[in-house]
Structures are given as structure tokens and as C-alpha cells.
Amino acid sequence: MPTRSLIVLPDDSPREILDAIGRARHSLRVKMFVFSDPDLLEAVIAAKRRGLAVRVMLNPARRDGRDDNVAARAALLAAGVNVQDANPRFDLTHEKSMVVDDTVAFVKSLNWETKNLTETRDYAIVTDHPREVAEIGACFEADWHRQDFTPGADAGLVWCPDNGRARIGDFIDNAHKTLFVQNERYQDALVIERLVRAAERGVKVHVMARAPHTLKADKLIEGVGGLRILDDVGVKIHKLKHLKLHGKMFLADGVAGVVGSINLAPGSFDGRRELAIEVRDDAVVERLHDVARADWANSHPLDLSDAGLLADLKDRQDVVEGLLPSS
């Protein structure tokens, strides 16, 4: 019977990912935004040495010129791994996925960099459901060959820039009692509207975000504005203590969850290759619920008042102008 399982970082180690690469017998397809962890790099190279058909698709340089994958790309190419930049159709490829032997797939919020394995709250879903594995594989092939990929109305997974905004909106709309959300960015108008409506119909919405000072200058106004709208309607907004939030996770009513790479921002929905998966498996959802509860207990409210924002942005006075009412 097909199964899904959950990896929670940094609580779990990357052992399950490394073991899956080590058990691969035929093929390995990796699509990654940032790839720099030396253990994962060595595992992929070792798979190539065992004779596997290994292909790795990496996000190319960002718009600011920064390329996070220079060293990994060079090491993989030197080892004979077939490496290619991600599809240039997209502003960037933020998807983090792996397909092993066309039988198992990983859908992740985490990059393959050491800090996402050891310092950040992150998640991965492992699935051997044939339809899901085939869908991830089909998208990989389309992006690899620079072809269109249309998941269709009956797609099992959540894809951007295709069905992502609609699927996330529907997920929020279908929450009845509780909704936990962990995300770095709250900037998309539709998602904010759906969260507001959820709160207004009596859903207990718990939002976990990063502090405003972590946002880029050109995203600060809309990011803070989105959080303040939610705060105005009584949504509880917290920040993790002692752990950085990088995971992108929804949990509704303790019965359904979404895990993947999608930030709640227009750019993610409209211009980036992103992937998430909705799960209802009892064991996976139960653990997501336990982690969400524990993270909430290990967090504190974000102070989104004028004074709170000024305190948070004390070292970024260049971006405060226009964010707060003039005195």
C-alpha cells in the first residue's frame, strides 16, 4: 500500500535523505534551489560512481547576480554528473524535490544546505504514491527539456505558477476550527484575504512568521502590511524562539496539512517554479500537529505596533520611512 512519511528538521537528521540516495539502484533526479551541503553532495556523486543515471537541476544565478550553487555545480560536473540550470521560463526555481528510481519522491521546504539541516525549522514529505512520484518526474522532464508542464485540474500536487494560489486558497477556505500556518512571507493579497475570512468565520488562526527586519527592503512594506492586516482582525502572530523559521506549512483542523516550498508572496505563485503536497495521512498529520503545538509553545508574539516595529527595525532606519505614519 502506498505510504507517505514526514521528516522534521532539525529534530530529525538528514539520514533518511542520505539513505534514500544510498539505496538508489537506477536513477536519481534532483531539483534544488540551493545545493551546498557536503554530505549530500558526496552522496549524489557516490550514486553517479555506482553507475546510476543522475541528473541535477539547479537554480541559476539570482537577479542580483548571486549564484549559490557555483561550488556544487563544479563538483558535480567534475564527477560526471549531468547538471543543468533550471528552466529559464521562471524568475527562479524554488522547488526542492528528489525522485529516486521512479518509485519514491521527496517534497521539501528545505534547501540542501547545511543550515537548513541543522538550524532551521523545515519539513519534507516522502511519498511512494505512484501518481505523485510520476507527477514530480513529469515536471522534472518538462523543465529539463524546456517544455511546458500543465498539471491539469485533477493534479495531485500543488504547483506554481499553475494551481498553487487556488489550491492554497481552497485549503484555507476548508478549515473549520483551527489553522496553523508557518511561512516566512505573508504578502499575497488573496492568501491574506482568505486568512482574514477564516478568522472572521471563527477559525482559530495561528500564524508563525519571521521578524520584519529579516525581510528584504523592497518587500518590507507589503510584508509588514500583510501581517498587520491579520493582526487587526485578531489573528495571533508569533515568532519562533531559538530556531529560525524556513519551513512552509499549513495544518487545518488537525486532519490535513500542506508542506512544500511556496512562500505566500505573489512572486512565488506567479513567477517561480514551486512545489507543495497536501497530506491527510494520520501519522503525518499527527506529527505536524505535535510540531506546530510545540513550536507555538516555543514562540512569542510579534509586536506589530508602531513602537514594536521601530524597535525591531532599529538597525534599518533606511527602510522605516513610508512604513509607519509620519509624526
Side-chain angles (χ1 to χ4, degrees), residues 4-9 12 16-17 96 105-110 112 121-127 247-248 259-260 277 279 284 287-288:
R4 299 185 189 92
S5 60
L6 174 68
I7 301 171
V8 180
L9 295 166
D12 305 331
E16 188 170 353
I17 302 172
K96 307 99 163 44
F106 288 66
V107 179
K108 304 182 283 287
S109 68
L110 62 123
W112 277 7
R121 169 63 73 229
D122 265 300
Y123 303 94
I125 297 290
V126 187
T127 177
K248 301 90 171 69
V259 168
I277 183 171
V279 292
V284 173
R287 189 165 186 216
L288 283 174

Side-chain angles (χ1 to χ4, degrees), residues 170-240:
D170 288 346
F171 187 88
I172 297 169
D173 288 349
N174 289 326
H176 299 293
K177 297 179 180 179
T178 61
L179 187 63
F180 283 91
V181 187
Q182 293 185 343
N183 207 278
E184 293 178 88
R185 295 164 62 184
Y186 295 82
Q187 297 164 355
D188 188 76
L190 183 139
V191 171
I192 293 166
E193 176 192 0
R194 298 297 179 87
L195 291 171
V196 167
R197 290 185 178 186
E200 289 180 338
R201 67 175 182 268
V203 178
K204 294 182 179 178
V205 182
H206 299 75
V207 163
M208 191 160 284
R210 297 180 71 173
H213 73 263
T214 65
L215 295 173
K216 294 180 179 178
D218 62 341
K219 302 297 182 183
L220 188 63
I221 290 178
E222 60 183 344
V224 170
L227 290 174
R228 289 184 119 182
I229 290 170
L230 296 173
D231 186 58
D232 285 345
V233 298
V235 172
K236 296 179 179 179
I237 303 172
H238 279 213
K239 175 186 178 296
L240 264 174

Side-chain angles (χ1 to χ4, degrees), residues 29-50:
R29 286 179 283 183
V30 176
K31 193 187 295 184
M32 193 56 54
F33 180 57
V34 178
F35 189 174
S36 59
D37 180 75
D39 292 337
L40 286 165
L41 185 61
E42 178 54 36
V44 171
I45 290 172
K48 172 63 179 177
R49 291 173 181 151
R50 296 199 308 273

Side-chain angles (χ1 to χ4, degrees), residues 25-82:
R25 292 296 174 263
H26 306 291
S27 64
L28 194 65
R29 286 179 283 183
V30 176
K31 193 187 295 184
M32 193 56 54
F33 180 57
V34 178
F35 189 174
S36 59
D37 180 75
D39 292 337
L40 286 165
L41 185 61
E42 178 54 36
V44 171
I45 290 172
K48 172 63 179 177
R49 291 173 181 151
R50 296 199 308 273
L52 274 67
V54 181
R55 284 183 288 165
V56 177
M57 200 180 314
L58 298 174
N59 187 67
R62 306 189 196 196
R63 283 176 295 179
D64 63 5
R66 189 176 73 190
D67 190 337
D68 304 283
N69 297 313
V70 172
R73 189 181 291 108
L76 292 165
L77 287 170
V81 175
N82 199 352

Side-chain angles (χ1 to χ4, degrees), residues 115-172:
K115 71 177 183 180
N116 283 167
L117 304 172
T118 59
E119 299 177 14
T120 62
R121 169 63 73 229
D122 265 300
Y123 303 94
I125 297 290
V126 187
T127 177
D128 60 12
H129 284 244
R131 178 180 172 184
E132 293 168 352
V133 175
E135 206 170 295
I136 297 168
C139 182
F140 184 97
E141 294 301 325
D143 285 349
W144 185 269
H145 296 290
R146 306 321 196 218
Q147 298 170 347
D148 289 338
F149 171 74
T150 304
D154 62 344
L157 301 170
V158 183
W159 294 100
C160 296
D162 297 288
N163 63 10
R165 183 181 279 110
R167 287 284 299 270
I168 295 298
D170 288 346
F171 187 88
I172 297 169

